[in-house]
């Protein structure tokens, strides 16, 4: 790298540090790599320094080894949700029907489809058309179908009773706690992707209530929650007629509740 280029990168790092970016050096490298010219780089740095999520600025997020497309107005996949994807992969046989509900940009579905030997029949659904624009591109390499609408209302009738693995990262932040979230999420991600209602579990209850109708016999619903909320999420799945267990990853600070539909007959 030429001395001038090194100086430019150091200037970017200093600006990012001044803006409060903890990993300024790594972010500077990503911004430089994403820029098409000096003017574009200046714009990217200005956006990041102003508080826009890095993933929105560079146009992608790393998730389960994939480079997932994201952008302005879309929920950024969290690294802790990789645990949810890993649990789903462990339960998905080759050719399984996998549904990523509340899919956002489709990161979970793409991750599962990319890791199941032999592939899966992938479907993804969300109510947010902006997120689905990214989801279509992210699931396309796996032949995924994308559906727009409110939860199961988005789905074609022929999926009913066929879903082997239903993976869900629905919003679970209580409404009154939205203001405590980092500004990157609070100011740049859609409220519909964050706000889970009074106790954070409104969407969990709605997902659980109708899951049995869409799951295949013995099919599994996996839903991300918090350690504090896990008992209530589990109760919702039990009320929906599922046999329930919870798993957790201390390393990722992640909790997943898994419900199994009754076997045929």
């Amino acid at each position: 790298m030429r001395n001038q280029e090194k100086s430019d990168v150091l200037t970017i790092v200093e600006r990012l540090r001044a803006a409060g970016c903890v990993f300024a050096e790594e972010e500077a490298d990503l911004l430089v790599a994403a820029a098409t010219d000096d003017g574009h780089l200046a714009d990217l740095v200005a956006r990041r320094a102003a508080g826009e999520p890095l993933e929105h600025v560079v146009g992608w997020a790393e998730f389960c080894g994939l480079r997932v497309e994201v952008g302005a107005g879309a929920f950024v996949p969290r690294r802790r949700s990789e645990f949810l994807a890993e649990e789903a992969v462990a339960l998905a046989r080759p050719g399984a029907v996998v549904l990523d509900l509340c899919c956002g940009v489709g990161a979970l579905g793409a991750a599962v489809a990319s890791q199941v030997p032999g592939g899966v029949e992938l479907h993804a659904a969300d109510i947010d058309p902006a997120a689905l624009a990214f989801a279509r591109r992210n699931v396309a390499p796996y032949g995924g179908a994308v559906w727009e609408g409110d939860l199961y209302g988005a789905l074609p009738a022929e999926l009913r009773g066929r879903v082997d693995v239903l993976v869900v990262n629905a919003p679970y932040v209580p409404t009154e706690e939205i203001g405590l979230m980092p500004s990157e999420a609070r100011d740049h991600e859609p409220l519909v992707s964050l706000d889970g209602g009074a106790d954070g579990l409104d969407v969990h209850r709605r997902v659980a209530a109708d899951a049995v109708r869409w799951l295949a016999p013995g099919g599994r619903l996996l839903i991300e929650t918090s350690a504090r909320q896990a008992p209530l999420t589990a109760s919702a799945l039990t009320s929906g007629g599922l046999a329930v267990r919870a798993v957790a990853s201390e390393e990722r600070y992640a909790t997943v509740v898994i419900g199994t539909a009754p076997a045929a007959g």
Side-chain angles (χ1 to χ4, degrees):
M1 183 181 290
R2 294 176 303 175
N3 289 337
Q4 181 60 47
E5 291 174 334
K6 291 181 179 179
S7 176
D8 291 344
V9 172
L10 288 174
T11 300
I12 293 170
V13 169
E14 291 171 359
R15 185 170 179 187
L16 294 177
R17 281 179 179 159
C21 299
V22 177
F23 302 104
E25 292 86 354
E26 293 87 344
E27 293 194 11
D29 289 340
L30 291 171
L31 293 170
V32 169
T36 56
D37 55 42
D38 289 346
H40 187 213
L41 177 59
D43 178 62
L44 297 182
V45 173
R47 289 169 59 191
R48 180 56 183 145
E52 192 171 342
L54 176 67
E55 295 83 358
H56 285 181
V57 175
V58 299
W60 60 274
E62 183 180 349
F63 189 79
C64 290
L66 301 178
R67 183 175 286 202
V68 178
E69 287 192 41
V70 298
F75 179 82
V76 177
R78 310 300 199 246
R79 296 301 293 269
R80 66 172 171 270
S81 297
E82 292 181 341
F83 179 64
L84 175 58
E86 290 166 3
E87 291 296 312
V89 168
L91 296 174
R93 70 181 192 281
V97 177
V98 175
L99 170 60
D100 182 358
L101 194 63
C102 302
C103 71
V105 299
L108 281 167
V112 174
S114 72
Q115 294 183 35
V116 175
V120 301
E121 179 185 328
L122 177 61
H123 297 264
D126 200 282
I127 199 172
D128 182 2
L132 290 180
F134 295 102
R136 289 185 180 90
R137 295 197 289 273
N138 288 323
V139 304
Y142 314 102
V146 174
W147 311 99
E148 180 179 343
D150 185 21
L151 297 183
Y152 302 108
L155 305 177
E158 55 265 27
L159 265 185
R160 189 174 291 120
R162 293 187 56 237
V163 178
D164 298 301
V165 177
L166 171 52
V167 58
V168 183
N169 185 15
Y172 56 93
V173 179
T175 302
E176 291 187 354
E177 296 181 17
I178 296 293
L180 303 177
M181 297 186 71
S183 61
E184 288 185 14
R186 195 175 63 242
D187 297 336
H188 296 278
E189 294 180 326
L191 189 61
V192 70
S193 297
L194 305 174
D195 191 347
D199 65 354
L201 300 176
D202 284 358
V203 184
H204 286 199
R205 294 187 186 94
R206 293 182 59 210
V207 169
D210 286 334
V212 167
R213 294 174 55 208
W214 294 89
L215 289 171
R220 272 70 169 248
L221 162 62
L222 301 90
I223 188 165
E224 181 176 301
T225 189
S226 69
R228 171 172 59 92
Q229 294 163 303
L232 292 177
T233 299
S235 178
L237 269 62
T238 299
S239 296
L242 304 174
V244 178
R245 63 186 176 94
V247 292
S249 168
E250 293 184 5
E251 179 184 359
R252 291 190 176 94
Y253 301 99
T255 302
V256 173
V257 174
I258 303 173
T260 302

